Amino acid sequence: MNQTIRVTILQAPTAGVIEVLEDTVIEVSDQGMIESLAPATDQRVDLALGQDVVLLPGLIDTHVHAPQWPQLGTGLDLPLDQWLLEYTFPLEARFADLAFAVSVWDSLVPALLAGGTTTAVYYGSVHDAATTALAQACIIHGQRAFVGRVAMDHPQGTPEWYRDADPAAAVAASHRSVEAIRALPGASGLVEPVITPRFIPACTDATLEGLGELADATGALVQTHCAESDWESDYVLDRHGCTDARSLESFGLVRDHAVLAHATHLTDDDRITLIERGAGVAHCPLSNSYFANAVFPARRNLDAGLRIGLGTDIAGGSEPSLLTQCEHAV
Ligand code: GUN
Ligand code: FE
């Protein structure tokens, strides 16, 4: 049976446009799909939300590190490279314990939903089982999600107790994870896998190349960090002799609907590459304040035609609300 809701709706159907649909009746199917919108009349409705309530479309968080939920709001006293080694990798390594992982997912996913985040783009950990369980938790709690098993194998950029053994292992585990998430009952239309090289400093060239090929072979989406901080940009310049975006592109990782997090240090040339390839940026303004040593020029990038979404970057960002990210973006 369809349900009817009477309420005022606020929405932004395209960039630059805000629509207010006052006193509107929404008809919703059993599957939760909107069947119709119409101005209210005298008809009886199932739920009248009243004059002082406004309904928004679901919010989309384009960048969340799910295993960092337990350290939200802590440990932000170090720059990115030290923060990863001191706090973040030790926490993520604990997700080898599947029961611990599930307990965190069952806290995180409902908390984000309660804040209005109906879609999230997640990094899991290097662990296949914990990452598949994250996708499962999204299905159970009814959150649309893109879920990536993190690949990281660089012997200098990662600790030996939290990394893939070698490029072959990194690519094979990423491939298994894509298949495992696609095979979950209820995943179709709700939860999708994402190929997730963590970022260039954590990955060998062979892994980056193998994951670009895996994206071609499986058609799965890609996400990674790109030009996040001055340290990261300089590192890539040093190792590959070009910008982070150029290097990722050379491995086939800047592609249609790829989600590149941060991108605070893009050059004009990089921006054109992202636009031409159809990649988008997860703009994480609060996290950028901690780690980037730069500001993402959102207005200039939007005007240039770059696709941009907002991200919390939990827990590099210390606030799980996308509405808070809106404030920081402004
Ligand atoms: N770069 C590589 N890994 C991470 C991470 O976990 N958080 C942030 N903010 N940046 C990263
Ligand atoms: Fe991040």
Side-chain angles (χ1 to χ4, degrees):
M1 260 265 292
N2 288 355
Q3 298 275 314
T4 48
I5 305 166
R6 183 171 176 172
V7 70
T8 291
I9 298 169
L10 194 60
Q11 60 183 7
T14 59
V17 177
I18 291 186
E19 251 174 30
V20 184
L21 307 177
E22 275 182 57
D23 204 14
T24 296
V25 173
I26 314 174
E27 191 179 352
V28 182
S29 74
D30 285 345
Q31 280 76 45
M33 304 299 279
I34 295 173
E35 298 284 330
S36 67
L37 293 180
T41 60
D42 287 342
Q43 79 197 97
R44 201 193 61 78
V45 293
D46 297 303
L47 181 64
L49 287 175
Q51 299 283 322
D52 53 351
V53 175
V54 171
L55 219 54
L56 303 177
L59 304 173
I60 300 168
D61 191 335
T62 58
H63 190 60
V64 184
H65 293 271
Q68 297 173 24
W69 182 239
Q71 71 174 2
L72 186 79
T74 71
L76 290 160
D77 56 314
L78 295 176
L80 178 62
D81 53 329
Q82 294 169 42
W83 174 83
L84 288 168
L85 286 169
E86 285 285 320
Y87 302 124
T88 301
F89 294 161
L91 172 57
E92 292 193 13
R94 293 178 58 196
F95 287 74
D97 176 350
L98 184 59
F100 174 66
V102 170
S103 75
V104 173
W105 308 155
D106 282 340
S107 163
L108 167 68
V109 176
L112 293 190
L113 279 167
T117 300
T118 53
T119 299
V121 186
Y122 286 116
Y123 285 56
S125 64
V126 296
H127 313 102
D128 301 23
T131 302
T132 306
L134 173 58
Q136 180 76 56
C138 294
I139 294 169
I140 290 168
H141 295 289
Q143 186 180 50
R144 182 165 168 258
F146 299 81
V147 178
R149 182 251 174 223
V150 173
M152 46 192 283
D153 70 327
H154 199 290
Q156 270 89 56
T158 61
E160 44 124 21
W161 41 266
Y162 188 57
R163 73 162 73 117
D164 290 304
D166 54 44
V171 175
S174 299
H175 194 178
R176 276 200 308 275
S177 183
V178 167
E179 290 183 340
I181 291 172
R182 284 181 171 166
L184 287 173
S188 176
L190 191 67
V191 172
E192 274 189 43
V194 197
I195 294 168
T196 307
R198 186 171 203 120
F199 66 159
I200 289 177
C203 295
T204 58
D205 289 4
T207 287
L208 295 166
E209 190 177 330
L211 293 178
E213 289 166 4
L214 184 63
D216 279 334
T218 59
L221 299 176
V222 166
Q223 65 179 346
T224 189
H225 296 85
C226 176
E228 172 175 7
S229 71
D230 48 353
W231 163 75
E232 189 209 349
S233 294
D234 289 348
Y235 170 91
V236 177
L237 205 57
D238 212 42
R239 176 166 141 197
H240 289 150
C242 62
T243 65
D244 204 348
R246 270 261 160 272
S247 173
L248 290 170
E249 193 210 14
S250 76
F251 293 110
L253 295 167
V254 178
R255 41 201 305 129
D256 196 33
H257 286 86
V259 180
L260 304 180
H262 305 283
T264 44
H265 292 260
L266 286 189
T267 64
D268 290 346
D269 184 53
D270 291 337
R271 179 184 310 111
I272 292 167
T273 301
L274 265 56
I275 293 168
E276 282 178 356
R277 297 283 175 196
V281 170
H283 173 32
C284 308
L286 181 56
S287 168
N288 291 343
S289 304
Y290 291 115
F291 291 139
N293 281 343
V295 164
F296 179 76
R299 169 53 58 199
R300 178 152 31 105
N301 282 314
L302 278 172
D303 289 346
L306 185 59
R307 291 173 165 163
I308 300 173
L310 285 172
T312 56
D313 195 22
I314 291 166
S318 54
E319 288 280 347
S321 165
L322 277 170
L323 297 175
T324 305
Q325 304 311 316
C326 293
E327 292 170 19
H328 283 276
V330 171

